[in-house]
Amino acid sequence: MAKLLEPQKDVSLAQPILFGRDQLVNTATISRQFSKVKLLAKVKPLFITDNGNVDSVLLSYDAYEEMYNRIQSLEQEVLDYRAQEANNEPQSSVDWRTVQRSSEE
């Protein structure tokens, strides 16, 4: 059975996410009109509110896949950049065992 991910607490963003009032949906509406809400989420992300605070985001699978692929691509760019940097300046690299030991102390 797949392991469920633990929700992250206190995730802060560098910049606030902007969205329109038409993208806010409360949990009561979701439970009463899920089919309609699901169709709306295919057009643009919906921000689900609970007690007036944004709690979750509902988006289409295509939008999720696009976002996931972009994150993967950016992570690979960072790894490639770091590898190139280590090749160009090997003296600036640190052995991972050193980092591991220092974090245990």
Side-chain angles (χ1 to χ4, degrees):
M1 181 165 197
K3 183 178 177 184
L4 295 176
L5 296 174
E6 291 294 320
Q8 291 184 337
K9 302 289 182 194
D10 300 325
V11 176
S12 60
L13 302 170
Q15 296 179 5
I17 297 173
L18 302 178
F19 49 87
R21 201 177 274 266
D22 62 331
Q23 289 176 270
L24 292 172
V25 182
N26 63 40
T27 52
T29 302
I30 296 259
S31 62
R32 286 191 318 268
Q33 302 176 356
F34 186 73
S35 295
K36 180 181 177 184
V37 170
K38 191 172 77 164
L39 288 173
L40 290 172
K42 290 182 184 287
V43 177
K44 56 187 164 186
L46 298 177
F47 298 83
I48 302 168
T49 60
D50 191 18
N51 295 323
N53 297 313
V54 174
D55 179 68
S56 304
V57 180
L58 181 65
L59 63 152
S60 71
Y61 181 76
D62 289 341
Y64 171 80
E65 193 173 56
E66 182 181 327
M67 183 176 59
Y68 180 83
N69 288 334
R70 181 65 179 140
I71 290 170
Q72 292 293 102
S73 174
L74 289 170
E75 287 176 346
Q76 189 59 52
E77 285 179 32
V78 168
L79 290 175
D80 292 346
Y81 174 78
R82 288 182 179 170
Q84 184 64 40
E85 198 173 61
N87 286 334
N88 292 343
E89 298 180 39
Q91 71 280 5
S92 68
S93 299
V94 177
D95 181 61
W96 69 271
R97 289 179 202 94
T98 307
V99 174
Q100 184 181 23
R101 280 190 210 110
S102 67
S103 68
E104 291 173 354
E105 296 172 356

